[in-house]
């Protein structure tokens, strides 16, 4: 990417999102859209800057918007392995959400489970993932819970149980975004995929 930046330029829609946020710092929804875009691009400084700008305008925004901003902040800080900061941000997201947005509540719970994985409290993480899976068994959040359940089991040295979880995930939810990662976790020759790096490294942002 450094050698050939011309191949990694933002799309027209992405440029518009970033420009709208820069032009209208008082527009909290523009800041949220920019923060979400920067998160997907793994541009943590730009993401946090958009969140900070949005939250300074919080008096003009609704609680659901503030909840989303705090949630994205928590996700970024988890990626940066700032678990204390992430915990504080997620607590604010829970307070602002107040149980109103069910999907956001599940997203927050997934982020909390990831924080527990950072702490290597895999038992607590498994409990959180089980709750998400129960509430969203066939949706994308349930899919994430299935993959990370397998990863917890793997790190607890329960490799047969982990592989059974991943095998069921890729078989029962082949459309899911993380099903390919479950497949990769099974390795060759069972799955025609590269080995999943998460099985051996814990300090990445993924």
């Amino acid at each position: 990417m450094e050698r050939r930046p011309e191949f990694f330029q933002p799309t027209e829609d992405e440029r518009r999102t970033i420009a709208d946020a820069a032009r209208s710092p008082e527009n909290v929804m523009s800041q949220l859209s920019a923060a979400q875009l920067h998160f997907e691009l793994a541009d943590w400084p730009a993401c946090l800057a958009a969140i900070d700008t949005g939250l300074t305008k919080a008096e003009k925004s609704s609680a659901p918007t503030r909840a989303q901003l705090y949630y994205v902040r928590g996700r970024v800080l988890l990626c940066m392995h700032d678990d204390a900061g992430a915990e504080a941000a997620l607590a604010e997201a829970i307070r602002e959400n107040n149980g109103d947005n069910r999907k956001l509540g599940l997203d927050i719970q997934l982020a909390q489970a990831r924080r527990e994985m950072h702490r290597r409290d895999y038992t607590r993480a498994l409990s959180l993932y089980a709750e998400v899976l129960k509430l969203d068994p066939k949706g994308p959040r349930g899919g994430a819970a299935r993959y990370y359940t397998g990863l917890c089991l793997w790190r607890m040295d329960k490799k047969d149980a982990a592989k059974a979880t991943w095998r069921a995930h890729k078989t029962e939810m082949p459309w899911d975004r993380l099903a390919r990662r479950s497949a990769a976790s099974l390795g060759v020759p069972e799955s025609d995929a590269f080995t999943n790096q998460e099985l051996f490294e814990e300090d990445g942002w993924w």
Side-chain angles (χ1 to χ4, degrees), residues 71 86 100 106 117 143 150 169 171 174 187-188 192:
Y71 162 70
D100 293 334
L106 293 177
M117 289 183 70
H169 182 202
T171 301
V188 178
D192 185 16

mmCIF file of all heavy atoms in Angstrom, residues 71 86 100 106 117 143 150 169 171 174 187-188 192:
data_model
loop_
_atom_site.group_PDB
_atom_site.id
_atom_site.type_symbol
_atom_site.label_atom_id
_atom_site.label_comp_id
_atom_site.label_asym_id
_atom_site.label_seq_id
_atom_site.Cartn_x
_atom_site.Cartn_y
_atom_site.Cartn_z
ATOM 1 N N TYR A 71 -19.797 3.226 21.176
ATOM 2 C CA TYR A 71 -19.539 1.840 20.784
ATOM 3 C C TYR A 71 -18.355 1.768 19.821
ATOM 4 O O TYR A 71 -17.447 0.937 19.998
ATOM 5 C CB TYR A 71 -20.787 1.232 20.146
ATOM 6 C CG TYR A 71 -20.494 -0.003 19.333
ATOM 7 C CD1 TYR A 71 -20.107 -1.190 19.956
ATOM 8 C CD2 TYR A 71 -20.576 0.024 17.942
ATOM 9 C CE1 TYR A 71 -19.813 -2.325 19.206
ATOM 10 C CE2 TYR A 71 -20.286 -1.101 17.195
ATOM 11 C CZ TYR A 71 -19.909 -2.269 17.825
ATOM 12 O OH TYR A 71 -19.608 -3.377 17.080
ATOM 13 N N ALA A 86 -11.430 1.003 26.445
ATOM 14 C CA ALA A 86 -12.542 0.344 25.759
ATOM 15 C C ALA A 86 -13.671 0.034 26.724
ATOM 16 O O ALA A 86 -14.852 0.245 26.410
ATOM 17 C CB ALA A 86 -12.052 -0.942 25.099
ATOM 18 N N ASP A 100 -32.455 0.135 24.260
ATOM 19 C CA ASP A 100 -33.422 0.500 23.219
ATOM 20 C C ASP A 100 -33.114 -0.148 21.875
ATOM 21 O O ASP A 100 -34.012 -0.576 21.158
ATOM 22 C CB ASP A 100 -33.471 2.021 23.047
ATOM 23 C CG ASP A 100 -34.049 2.710 24.278
ATOM 24 O OD1 ASP A 100 -34.832 2.053 24.996
ATOM 25 O OD2 ASP A 100 -33.726 3.884 24.510
ATOM 26 N N LEU A 106 -26.357 -6.151 21.192
ATOM 27 C CA LEU A 106 -25.601 -7.367 20.869
ATOM 28 C C LEU A 106 -24.188 -7.028 20.404
ATOM 29 O O LEU A 106 -23.227 -7.714 20.760
ATOM 30 C CB LEU A 106 -26.330 -8.166 19.789
ATOM 31 C CG LEU A 106 -27.677 -8.777 20.187
ATOM 32 C CD1 LEU A 106 -28.321 -9.468 18.993
ATOM 33 C CD2 LEU A 106 -27.524 -9.764 21.339
ATOM 34 N N MET A 117 -11.570 -11.720 26.169
ATOM 35 C CA MET A 117 -10.551 -12.541 25.513
ATOM 36 C C MET A 117 -9.169 -11.908 25.667
ATOM 37 O O MET A 117 -8.183 -12.609 25.871
ATOM 38 C CB MET A 117 -10.890 -12.717 24.037
ATOM 39 C CG MET A 117 -12.083 -13.626 23.788
ATOM 40 S SD MET A 117 -12.399 -13.887 22.019
ATOM 41 C CE MET A 117 -10.974 -14.903 21.572
ATOM 42 N N GLY A 143 -23.214 -15.394 14.048
ATOM 43 C CA GLY A 143 -22.078 -15.955 13.324
ATOM 44 C C GLY A 143 -20.760 -15.572 13.965
ATOM 45 O O GLY A 143 -19.855 -16.405 14.118
ATOM 46 N N GLY A 150 -15.320 -20.707 19.052
ATOM 47 C CA GLY A 150 -14.287 -21.665 18.661
ATOM 48 C C GLY A 150 -12.892 -21.186 19.026
ATOM 49 O O GLY A 150 -12.059 -21.971 19.501
ATOM 50 N N HIS A 169 -20.172 -24.118 12.104
ATOM 51 C CA HIS A 169 -20.367 -22.746 11.615
ATOM 52 C C HIS A 169 -20.291 -22.699 10.096
ATOM 53 O O HIS A 169 -21.182 -22.177 9.423
ATOM 54 C CB HIS A 169 -19.319 -21.835 12.251
ATOM 55 C CG HIS A 169 -19.448 -20.394 11.871
ATOM 56 N ND1 HIS A 169 -18.398 -19.519 11.968
ATOM 57 C CD2 HIS A 169 -20.494 -19.674 11.387
ATOM 58 C CE1 HIS A 169 -18.794 -18.319 11.582
ATOM 59 N NE2 HIS A 169 -20.052 -18.385 11.217
ATOM 60 N N THR A 171 -20.563 -25.069 7.966
ATOM 61 C CA THR A 171 -21.545 -25.951 7.328
ATOM 62 C C THR A 171 -22.954 -25.378 7.408
ATOM 63 O O THR A 171 -23.703 -25.387 6.427
ATOM 64 C CB THR A 171 -21.517 -27.344 7.976
ATOM 65 O OG1 THR A 171 -20.207 -27.897 7.841
ATOM 66 C CG2 THR A 171 -22.533 -28.269 7.325
ATOM 67 N N PRO A 174 -22.914 -21.000 5.776
ATOM 68 C CA PRO A 174 -21.880 -20.717 4.775
ATOM 69 C C PRO A 174 -21.914 -19.286 4.247
ATOM 70 O O PRO A 174 -20.919 -18.804 3.718
ATOM 71 C CB PRO A 174 -22.185 -21.727 3.665
ATOM 72 C CG PRO A 174 -23.630 -22.068 3.835
ATOM 73 C CD PRO A 174 -23.873 -22.018 5.319
ATOM 74 N N GLY A 187 -7.972 -25.546 8.833
ATOM 75 C CA GLY A 187 -6.707 -25.845 8.184
ATOM 76 C C GLY A 187 -6.820 -26.839 7.045
ATOM 77 O O GLY A 187 -7.876 -27.394 6.756
ATOM 78 N N VAL A 188 -5.702 -27.052 6.414
ATOM 79 C CA VAL A 188 -5.579 -28.011 5.321
ATOM 80 C C VAL A 188 -5.203 -29.372 5.929
ATOM 81 O O VAL A 188 -4.428 -29.418 6.875
ATOM 82 C CB VAL A 188 -4.500 -27.519 4.334
ATOM 83 C CG1 VAL A 188 -4.303 -28.510 3.185
ATOM 84 C CG2 VAL A 188 -4.876 -26.150 3.786
ATOM 85 N N ASP A 192 -9.847 -26.100 2.386
ATOM 86 C CA ASP A 192 -8.921 -25.576 1.374
ATOM 87 C C ASP A 192 -8.733 -24.085 1.616
ATOM 88 O O ASP A 192 -9.298 -23.237 0.928
ATOM 89 C CB ASP A 192 -9.486 -25.822 -0.017
ATOM 90 C CG ASP A 192 -8.508 -25.410 -1.108
ATOM 91 O OD1 ASP A 192 -7.318 -25.230 -0.790
ATOM 92 O OD2 ASP A 192 -8.948 -25.268 -2.256
#
